[in-house]
């Protein structure tokens, strides 16, 4: 091998060695970049998944809370409906009392509510016609028995009530309508009735 061939062979060998070295470094750099990219991708994927899990958990909690609130509202509405029904039944029971029981109850209401003993007693149209005079007669008997003025009279007027009576003396009116009595009783007893119904 002559001198030029040796030089050429050495240059070629050096070049190939240099190329191999550059190739190794490039492959190492590519592997390093790929590793960094893979780690970054893994971290980003984990971050996205974590955000997704967190969002899903928050959404689930919100939905659970909404469902609980809706459930509570429905239970409260059902309880309210049951209370309404209980007091409506009480009102119906009062209006459907047997006649003698109703006369005694109305006479007692009139006697207790009377202030002067000279009031007019207003009934619903049907109650006035059926037993208004008997109620007033019994109420006057009760007032007289208690040593009070006993001059109650059946009014010609009629009230738009389901049952009970009104007492009127000039500008003063005492409302003893069954609807009013049940409403007032409800204000005082709703808590106790709810306890009986729901505990």
């Amino acid at each position: 091998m002559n001198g030029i061939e040796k030089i050429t062979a050495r240059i070629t060998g050096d070049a190939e060695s240099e190329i191999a070295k550059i190739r190794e470094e490039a492959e190492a750099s590519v592997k390093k970049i790929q590793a960094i990219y893979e780690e970054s991708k893994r971290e980003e994927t984990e971050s996205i998944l974590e955000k997704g899990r967190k969002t899903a958990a928050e959404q689930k909690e919100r939905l659970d809370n909404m469902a609980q609130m809706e459930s509570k509202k429905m239970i409260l509405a059902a309880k309210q409906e049951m209370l309404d029904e209980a007091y409506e039944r009480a009102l119906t029971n009062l209006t459907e009392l047997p006649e003698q029981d109703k006369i005694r109850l109305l006479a007692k209401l009139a006697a207790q509510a009377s202030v002067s003993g000279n009031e007019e007693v207003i009934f619903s149209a049907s109650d006035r016609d059926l037993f208004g005079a008997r109620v007033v007669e019994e109420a006057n008997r009760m007032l007289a028995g208690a040593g009070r003025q006993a001059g109650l009279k059946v009014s010609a007027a009629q009230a738009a009530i389901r049952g009970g009576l009104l007492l009127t003396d000039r500008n003063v009116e005492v409302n003893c309508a069954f609807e009013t009595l049940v409403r007032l009783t409800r204000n005082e007893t709703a808590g106790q009735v709810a306890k009986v119904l729901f505990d």
Side-chain angles (χ1 to χ4, degrees):
M1 216 195 243
N2 68 26
I4 292 181
E5 288 175 353
K6 282 183 183 178
I7 293 171
T8 304
R10 198 167 58 153
I11 291 172
T12 302
D14 288 346
E16 285 176 1
S17 176
E18 190 64 30
I19 289 170
K21 186 178 171 186
I22 291 171
R23 185 175 286 135
E24 274 182 40
E25 288 175 0
E27 284 176 5
S29 290
V30 166
K31 285 182 182 176
K32 192 174 182 181
I33 290 169
Q34 282 179 331
I36 291 170
Y37 171 76
E38 287 298 322
E39 179 62 20
S40 175
K41 185 173 86 171
R42 188 193 62 72
E43 287 175 0
E44 187 65 28
T45 301
E46 188 55 41
S47 174
I48 290 169
L49 287 173
E50 183 57 34
K51 284 179 187 172
R53 283 191 288 268
K54 187 176 178 184
T55 301
E58 288 170 355
Q59 183 71 9
K60 181 184 180 303
E61 186 177 350
R62 258 195 312 275
L63 290 173
D64 286 348
N65 289 341
M66 285 172 56
Q68 285 177 1
M69 284 174 44
E70 194 59 34
S71 173
K72 285 178 183 176
K73 282 199 299 193
M74 289 172 69
I75 289 169
L76 187 61
K79 286 181 176 182
Q80 187 62 48
E81 193 175 319
M82 288 175 71
L83 272 175
D84 292 345
E85 179 64 26
Y87 284 100
E88 180 59 31
R89 282 187 189 175
L91 178 57
T92 300
N93 289 343
L94 282 171
T95 60
E96 294 176 356
L97 280 172
E99 189 171 301
Q100 274 310 113
D101 293 340
K102 193 182 281 188
I103 290 169
R104 273 194 300 277
L105 175 62
L106 292 176
K108 186 175 179 182
L109 283 173
Q112 287 177 343
S114 175
V115 176
S116 67
N118 293 314
E119 293 93 349
E120 287 190 358
V121 184
I122 305 171
F123 297 93
S124 68
S126 61
D127 285 356
R128 183 187 64 204
D129 295 342
L130 284 172
F131 44 74
R134 287 185 284 165
V135 169
V136 168
E137 183 182 318
E138 179 67 25
N140 280 328
R141 198 171 15 258
M142 289 177 181
L143 288 169
R148 296 178 56 203
Q149 176 69 33
L152 297 178
K153 300 170 272 321
V154 176
S155 174
Q158 60 189 26
I161 57 177
R162 287 173 61 181
L165 52 87
L166 307 175
L167 287 179
T168 183
D169 187 8
R170 294 188 193 106
N171 294 329
V172 177
E173 182 177 276
V174 179
N175 187 339
C176 295
F178 288 160
E179 299 96 304
T180 303
L181 297 175
V182 168
R183 189 182 73 246
L184 293 173
T185 301
R186 181 176 183 159
N187 291 342
E188 296 171 8
T189 62
Q192 295 164 311
V193 172
K195 192 168 185 158
V196 169
L197 286 175
F198 309 123
D199 283 352

